[in-house]
Amino acid sequence: MESLVVGDIAELKPNQGTLSLFTNEAGGILDDLIVTNTSEGHLYVVSNAGCWEKDLTLMQDKVRELQNTGSDVGLEVMDNALLALQGPTAAQVLQAGVADDLRKLPFMTSAVMEVFGVSGCRVTRCGYTGEDGVEISVLAAEAVRLATALLENPEVKLAGLAARDSLRLEAGLCLYGNDIDEHTTPVEGSLSWTLGKRRRAAMDFPGASVIVPQLKGNVQRRRVGLMCEGAPVRAHNPILSTEGTVLGAVTSGCPSPCLKKNVAMGYVPYEYSRPGTLLLVEVRRKQQMAMVSKMPFVPTNYYTLK
């Protein structure tokens, strides 16, 4: 796995996971994914459904290459669905249907358990909202039964993609294909924290010769957060300097339900990336003020063991 991703997979504890990135030799991001070192003796990988053919081909090709050199490695594809139960009372709701003590399951760890009578579910304390919550990997044939059981609790509501999009944007989280892609490096995408310390030193991941020098400040542009006045800002809206020079473009944007303000993310030259920098965004051919903001816009509420 470390021949494909930028993270330190070898040092993960049993049932601990990490967000990592598939990269190419030019340093571009092929996809973001979560890799867990399971206590059952294998790695458990969840990548984006929208990239599954590309990701699967990438891994299958690497497996064949390693097998041809005598390595003992295999790849198994699971026909599972993924249910995301997110929010401040997510663990409380789930606790009613599991025997395991969820207080012992901190952020980015997982365990296999029976959930509301459905056996063999892998429950991971993570999600795409910035809130506490879990993602439940369940056999596809059992997904509707489990979702129905969860919805019997009045605390649980179905949420659409627009709700999820506003939550992940408030949390400053990237959407692959919008905020990061094959033409974005981890450093440009403000994802340097995914690069394992040992991996940086060894420079043994795809694109390391491009990515590692960028860590020392040799980077042309950066992903930044923007707090915007006026009309809501959307992807592809131009970002300009206060003098009116086009600097870059918005990659994600929406009104923040929590802040009652418009928030966005986009790319600007490095010298304009400092929080507090005043910029302009163009919406429907009108220019309006925007300020570079630290992310997350709304503080995250991940569950960690104190």
Side-chain angles (χ1 to χ4, degrees):
M1 204 66 203
E2 286 190 353
S3 68
L4 297 173
V5 301
V6 301
D8 193 338
I9 308 304
E11 75 171 18
L12 290 173
K13 299 182 181 75
N15 292 325
Q16 182 186 13
T18 186
L19 179 77
S20 199
L21 308 168
F22 286 130
T23 47
N24 61 27
E25 291 302 334
I29 300 169
L30 297 169
D31 196 10
D32 57 330
L33 65 155
I34 291 178
V35 184
T36 299
N37 177 23
T38 73
S39 58
E40 293 87 19
H42 62 264
L43 298 177
Y44 166 67
V45 176
V46 179
S47 63
N48 279 305
C51 297
W52 81 274
E53 289 176 327
K54 174 177 74 173
D55 293 350
L56 187 57
T57 300
L58 184 73
M59 289 188 280
Q60 286 174 333
D61 287 349
K62 182 57 73 171
V63 164
R64 274 192 292 271
E65 178 191 319
L66 290 168
Q67 286 175 341
N68 288 339
T69 59
S71 294
D72 178 17
V73 59
L75 181 68
E76 179 185 335
V77 180
M78 301 169 73
D79 185 22
N80 279 22
L82 203 62
L83 300 179
L85 182 68
Q86 299 285 295
T89 59
Q92 184 183 323
V93 166
L94 189 64
Q95 190 63 75
V98 301
D100 297 55
D101 184 356
L102 296 177
R103 290 173 301 183
K104 296 177 181 174
L105 193 72
F107 182 60
M108 293 308 290
T109 63
S110 71
V112 176
M113 61 185 80
E114 184 177 295
V115 182
F116 287 100
V118 179
S119 60
C121 297
R122 180 171 289 279
V123 175
T124 306
R125 198 73 171 254
C126 70
Y128 194 42
T129 62
E131 260 297 341
D132 186 22
V134 295
E135 290 186 336
I136 307 168
S137 180
V138 54
L139 284 171
E142 297 282 12
V144 171
R145 181 164 80 116
L146 180 53
T148 304
L150 289 165
L151 285 163
E152 285 177 6
N153 188 316
E155 284 278 303
V156 180
K157 304 272 193 300
L158 290 170
L161 291 177
R164 190 182 71 153
D165 202 47
S166 64
L167 284 162
R168 69 94 188 167
L169 189 47
E170 288 178 338
L173 302 173
C174 294
L175 175 63
Y176 190 81
N178 283 44
D179 309 299
I180 50 174
D181 57 28
E182 293 184 26
H183 306 292
T184 315
T185 70
V187 182
E188 291 173 334
S190 298
L191 294 170
S192 302
W193 59 271
T194 62
L195 302 165
K197 188 177 178 183
R198 171 176 60 84
R199 308 299 310 281
R200 296 179 193 201
M203 292 185 66
D204 60 350
F205 54 86
S209 61
V210 175
I211 295 165
V212 173
Q214 291 184 346
L215 291 167
K216 300 181 175 76
N218 184 23
V219 65
Q220 301 301 308
R221 61 181 193 137
R222 290 294 293 266
R223 175 175 65 96
V224 296
L226 297 168
M227 292 278 237
C228 310
E229 296 178 4
V233 187
R234 301 295 183 191
H236 312 302
N237 286 157
I239 304 171
L240 306 93
S241 70
T242 50
E243 291 79 39
T245 306
V246 175
L247 301 174
V250 171
T251 54
S252 290
C254 72
S256 162
C258 289
L259 299 177
K260 306 291 188 280
K261 294 178 182 175
N262 297 320
V263 298
M265 294 194 292
Y267 284 83
V268 295
Y270 184 77
E271 58 267 29
Y272 291 90
S273 64
R274 185 184 292 275
T277 303
L278 287 175
L279 299 169
L280 296 170
V281 287
E282 190 176 293
V283 183
R284 300 190 200 99
R285 298 184 185 172
K286 289 185 179 175
Q287 293 178 358
Q288 52 198 53
M289 292 300 296
M291 182 185 282
V292 176
S293 169
K294 286 184 177 178
M295 293 186 284
F297 299 104
V298 176
T300 54
N301 194 29
Y302 302 127
Y303 174 73
T304 53
L305 295 176
K306 298 290 185 279

